[in-house]
Amino acid sequence: MNMPSEHHADIDLLGALIAEIDIAMLVSVAPDGSLVSRPLATLKADGDDRLWFLTSAASGKIDDIERQPRVNLAYADPGANTYVSVTGRARVIHDRERAAELWFPQARAFFPGGPDDPDLRVLCVEVESAEYWRPTTGMTGQALRLMQAITGEGPTDPGEHGHLEVRD
């Protein structure tokens, strides 16, 4: 079990890892038990272990989450060679204040009525744990190590892999 300072460090690291990745793939469980992935823009990561999104009340993910709230969020930044897999519990909220807080201009394409659109819902994922993969060196170092591995002049550094326990 994480101590409080470790807990906050894990939350801070998760926030830093996903800060530059705009889109996550939300994986939920469909009625037939299959896994379904859908893209969502992460709008806020707060210090209370929660990730926030806007979604449509008509989306199939709403039914999936109401039936089975356990979800996965997959984040990928191939340019930075950073990947994050988040496990948590999702809940759907019909909260106009929170929707207004999370609102961004491009959302009008999906919700023409703005934050008061009757189809708009807020999706909150309470993070339980996460895994991440990221390089231990900058781009130049990564390129050098890859060339060394390809030419047989040395092993490649696979980078850092870690597990974050966010919720006890």
Side-chain angles (χ1 to χ4, degrees), residues 11-19 21 41-53 73 75 86 98 101-102 125 127:
I11 294 167
D12 292 344
L13 178 54
L14 175 60
L17 288 166
I18 67 172
I21 305 173
T42 305
L43 301 176
K44 183 176 180 182
D46 65 26
D48 292 327
D49 317 337
R50 294 178 299 221
L51 300 172
W52 297 90
F53 309 86
L73 292 162
Y75 291 87
V86 176
R98 179 64 69 160
E101 176 188 321
L102 298 170
V125 175
V127 177

Side-chain angles (χ1 to χ4, degrees), residues 46-155:
D46 65 26
D48 292 327
D49 317 337
R50 294 178 299 221
L51 300 172
W52 297 90
F53 309 86
L54 296 179
T55 192
S56 167
S59 169
K61 73 177 107 21
I62 301 296
D63 292 334
D64 291 355
I65 289 167
E66 288 175 351
R67 191 179 43 266
Q68 170 49 267
R70 295 218 35 164
V71 297
N72 178 269
L73 292 162
Y75 291 87
D77 183 349
N81 205 22
T82 300
Y83 305 90
V84 183
S85 176
V86 176
T87 302
R89 293 195 172 274
R91 59 190 166 97
V92 180
I93 304 165
H94 192 199
D95 180 340
R96 300 237 186 268
E97 272 186 47
R98 179 64 69 160
E101 176 188 321
L102 298 170
W103 186 256
F104 62 107
Q106 295 87 342
R108 194 165 299 280
F110 303 98
F111 307 104
D116 293 322
D117 192 301
D119 187 45
L120 180 61
R121 297 294 183 273
V122 174
L123 179 65
C124 174
V125 175
E126 294 176 347
V127 177
E128 295 174 347
S129 64
E131 279 190 88
Y132 67 91
W133 298 262
R134 67 178 176 179
T136 54
T137 61
M139 291 300 284
T140 304
Q142 289 177 55
L144 177 61
R145 289 184 181 183
L146 179 60
M147 288 306 298
Q148 288 173 331
I150 291 170
T151 62
E153 295 178 19

